Amino acid sequence: MALPPLAIDALAETLLGCVCQTLNDTAALVEGQPGCPCRACLVPGTPAWDSCEDPCGNPQDGAGGQLTVSLARILTAPDLGGARTPTILGARSCPAPTMSAELVVTLLRCAPSSDEEGCPPTCEQLAAAARVLHVDATSVHNALVCCFPQTGPPSRRYRYTLGQLTVLGPEGQCVGVEQRVTIALPNCACPEES
């Protein structure tokens, strides 16, 4: 079956929206946690680490950083990316997909750095940055297991596998997380759930 021309782009937009919404929901629950960065976009290829601070010029809103979703590769079935058979989340009775897209969610925030005198960040500054990182990692995971599966039409829930969530940096005053997710592209008409 031929893929619709916007199939991958629509998946990436949906994924970006879920992560952004989950980050905002988490920020409302966890005091001091920044929400979705105002710089949240789809990017071609590997994202540049352009904006760890607040690119919107409003550091008081606590939504600094950069959130991106990019396409890493397209896979053909039956392999969804590993030597062992992966657990396919959301599968019902459809056969294995013929094509899958590996998307990469990258979330970057500011990392504490040395002060004007060259002193390293304090333990309190490091602990605060670690807390933001830990909550961000949990939020990205939650977006993929709670929000994303609910976005497909009821007759065709997404089937996907999660890769490892990796911590990035600190490098260039940025620190963050990267989550890879391999999503089956539409190739079958699943029966309606009863």
mmCIF file of all heavy atoms in Angstrom, residues 29-48:
data_model
loop_
_atom_site.group_PDB
_atom_site.id
_atom_site.type_symbol
_atom_site.label_atom_id
_atom_site.label_comp_id
_atom_site.label_asym_id
_atom_site.label_seq_id
_atom_site.Cartn_x
_atom_site.Cartn_y
_atom_site.Cartn_z
ATOM 1 N N LEU A 29 1.649 20.921 37.573
ATOM 2 C CA LEU A 29 1.623 20.063 38.764
ATOM 3 C C LEU A 29 2.880 20.173 39.625
ATOM 4 O O LEU A 29 2.825 19.955 40.829
ATOM 5 C CB LEU A 29 1.462 18.597 38.351
ATOM 6 C CG LEU A 29 0.175 18.218 37.640
ATOM 7 C CD1 LEU A 29 0.251 16.776 37.135
ATOM 8 C CD2 LEU A 29 -1.010 18.392 38.574
ATOM 9 N N VAL A 30 4.024 20.471 39.011
ATOM 10 C CA VAL A 30 5.311 20.469 39.714
ATOM 11 C C VAL A 30 5.824 21.900 39.805
ATOM 12 O O VAL A 30 6.187 22.502 38.782
ATOM 13 C CB VAL A 30 6.336 19.565 38.990
ATOM 14 C CG1 VAL A 30 7.675 19.598 39.711
ATOM 15 C CG2 VAL A 30 5.816 18.144 38.867
ATOM 16 N N GLU A 31 5.866 22.422 41.002
ATOM 17 C CA GLU A 31 6.312 23.796 41.206
ATOM 18 C C GLU A 31 7.746 23.983 40.727
ATOM 19 O O GLU A 31 8.633 23.181 41.009
ATOM 20 C CB GLU A 31 6.227 24.154 42.694
ATOM 21 C CG GLU A 31 6.561 25.598 42.974
ATOM 22 C CD GLU A 31 6.412 25.962 44.450
ATOM 23 O OE1 GLU A 31 5.760 25.212 45.190
ATOM 24 O OE2 GLU A 31 6.972 26.988 44.832
ATOM 25 N N GLY A 32 7.956 25.051 39.945
ATOM 26 C CA GLY A 32 9.285 25.382 39.443
ATOM 27 C C GLY A 32 9.675 24.651 38.174
ATOM 28 O O GLY A 32 10.735 24.920 37.617
ATOM 29 N N GLN A 33 8.851 23.725 37.707
ATOM 30 C CA GLN A 33 9.178 22.984 36.487
ATOM 31 C C GLN A 33 8.770 23.797 35.265
ATOM 32 O O GLN A 33 7.637 24.256 35.175
ATOM 33 C CB GLN A 33 8.443 21.633 36.476
ATOM 34 C CG GLN A 33 8.738 20.771 35.268
ATOM 35 C CD GLN A 33 10.170 20.267 35.229
ATOM 36 O OE1 GLN A 33 10.845 20.200 36.241
ATOM 37 N NE2 GLN A 33 10.630 19.901 34.052
ATOM 38 N N PRO A 34 9.686 24.005 34.318
ATOM 39 C CA PRO A 34 9.313 24.742 33.101
ATOM 40 C C PRO A 34 8.379 23.905 32.230
ATOM 41 O O PRO A 34 8.441 22.674 32.237
ATOM 42 C CB PRO A 34 10.646 24.995 32.401
ATOM 43 C CG PRO A 34 11.588 23.993 32.974
ATOM 44 C CD PRO A 34 11.095 23.632 34.344
ATOM 45 N N GLY A 35 7.533 24.585 31.490
ATOM 46 C CA GLY A 35 6.617 23.908 30.578
ATOM 47 C C GLY A 35 7.260 23.670 29.226
ATOM 48 O O GLY A 35 8.490 23.606 29.098
ATOM 49 N N CYS A 36 6.417 23.582 28.223
ATOM 50 C CA CYS A 36 6.905 23.374 26.865
ATOM 51 C C CYS A 36 7.672 24.623 26.425
ATOM 52 O O CYS A 36 7.196 25.739 26.580
ATOM 53 C CB CYS A 36 5.725 23.122 25.929
ATOM 54 S SG CYS A 36 6.231 22.756 24.239
ATOM 55 N N PRO A 37 8.863 24.437 25.871
ATOM 56 C CA PRO A 37 9.608 25.601 25.381
ATOM 57 C C PRO A 37 8.833 26.339 24.289
ATOM 58 O O PRO A 37 8.107 25.724 23.512
ATOM 59 C CB PRO A 37 10.892 24.990 24.805
ATOM 60 C CG PRO A 37 11.026 23.658 25.459
ATOM 61 C CD PRO A 37 9.613 23.192 25.690
ATOM 62 N N CYS A 38 9.018 27.637 24.234
ATOM 63 C CA CYS A 38 8.356 28.390 23.163
ATOM 64 C C CYS A 38 8.979 28.040 21.812
ATOM 65 O O CYS A 38 8.351 28.204 20.778
ATOM 66 C CB CYS A 38 8.391 29.883 23.429
ATOM 67 S SG CYS A 38 10.031 30.580 23.500
ATOM 68 N N ARG A 39 10.198 27.529 21.830
ATOM 69 C CA ARG A 39 10.820 27.037 20.588
ATOM 70 C C ARG A 39 10.569 25.531 20.530
ATOM 71 O O ARG A 39 11.352 24.722 21.024
ATOM 72 C CB ARG A 39 12.304 27.346 20.578
ATOM 73 C CG ARG A 39 12.997 26.938 19.285
ATOM 74 C CD ARG A 39 14.443 27.444 19.271
ATOM 75 N NE ARG A 39 15.193 26.946 18.158
ATOM 76 C CZ ARG A 39 15.164 27.469 16.925
ATOM 77 N NH1 ARG A 39 14.413 28.514 16.663
ATOM 78 N NH2 ARG A 39 15.884 26.945 15.960
ATOM 79 N N ALA A 40 9.455 25.149 19.927
ATOM 80 C CA ALA A 40 9.062 23.749 19.770
ATOM 81 C C ALA A 40 8.712 23.547 18.304
ATOM 82 O O ALA A 40 7.776 24.169 17.802
ATOM 83 C CB ALA A 40 7.879 23.426 20.667
ATOM 84 N N CYS A 41 9.483 22.701 17.605
ATOM 85 C CA CYS A 41 9.263 22.591 16.171
ATOM 86 C C CYS A 41 9.758 21.267 15.608
ATOM 87 O O CYS A 41 10.539 20.562 16.243
ATOM 88 C CB CYS A 41 9.946 23.747 15.449
ATOM 89 S SG CYS A 41 11.651 24.065 15.930
ATOM 90 N N LEU A 42 9.283 20.976 14.404
ATOM 91 C CA LEU A 42 9.817 19.874 13.619
ATOM 92 C C LEU A 42 11.075 20.377 12.941
ATOM 93 O O LEU A 42 11.120 21.522 12.491
ATOM 94 C CB LEU A 42 8.817 19.421 12.555
ATOM 95 C CG LEU A 42 7.455 18.947 13.028
ATOM 96 C CD1 LEU A 42 6.630 18.472 11.837
ATOM 97 C CD2 LEU A 42 7.564 17.863 14.068
ATOM 98 N N VAL A 43 12.105 19.538 12.881
ATOM 99 C CA VAL A 43 13.351 19.940 12.233
ATOM 100 C C VAL A 43 13.787 18.861 11.252
ATOM 101 O O VAL A 43 13.504 17.682 11.460
ATOM 102 C CB VAL A 43 14.482 20.217 13.257
ATOM 103 C CG1 VAL A 43 14.130 21.389 14.152
ATOM 104 C CG2 VAL A 43 14.806 18.995 14.085
ATOM 105 N N PRO A 44 14.458 19.273 10.177
ATOM 106 C CA PRO A 44 14.984 18.286 9.233
ATOM 107 C C PRO A 44 16.317 17.751 9.744
ATOM 108 O O PRO A 44 17.246 18.511 9.989
ATOM 109 C CB PRO A 44 15.159 19.090 7.945
ATOM 110 C CG PRO A 44 15.414 20.484 8.414
ATOM 111 C CD PRO A 44 14.653 20.644 9.705
ATOM 112 N N GLY A 45 16.413 16.472 9.955
ATOM 113 C CA GLY A 45 17.666 15.878 10.413
ATOM 114 C C GLY A 45 17.945 16.142 11.881
ATOM 115 O O GLY A 45 17.053 16.465 12.660
ATOM 116 N N THR A 46 19.203 16.018 12.256
ATOM 117 C CA THR A 46 19.622 16.216 13.642
ATOM 118 C C THR A 46 19.449 17.682 14.030
ATOM 119 O O THR A 46 19.914 18.566 13.315
ATOM 120 C CB THR A 46 21.096 15.802 13.817
ATOM 121 O OG1 THR A 46 21.251 14.450 13.375
ATOM 122 C CG2 THR A 46 21.540 15.923 15.270
ATOM 123 N N PRO A 47 18.787 17.952 15.175
ATOM 124 C CA PRO A 47 18.576 19.353 15.546
ATOM 125 C C PRO A 47 19.867 20.039 15.989
ATOM 126 O O PRO A 47 20.714 19.424 16.634
ATOM 127 C CB PRO A 47 17.589 19.271 16.715
ATOM 128 C CG PRO A 47 17.787 17.906 17.292
ATOM 129 C CD PRO A 47 18.199 17.021 16.148
ATOM 130 N N ALA A 48 19.998 21.306 15.615
ATOM 131 C CA ALA A 48 21.095 22.136 16.121
ATOM 132 C C ALA A 48 20.747 22.560 17.538
ATOM 133 O O ALA A 48 19.583 22.803 17.844
ATOM 134 C CB ALA A 48 21.277 23.359 15.225
#
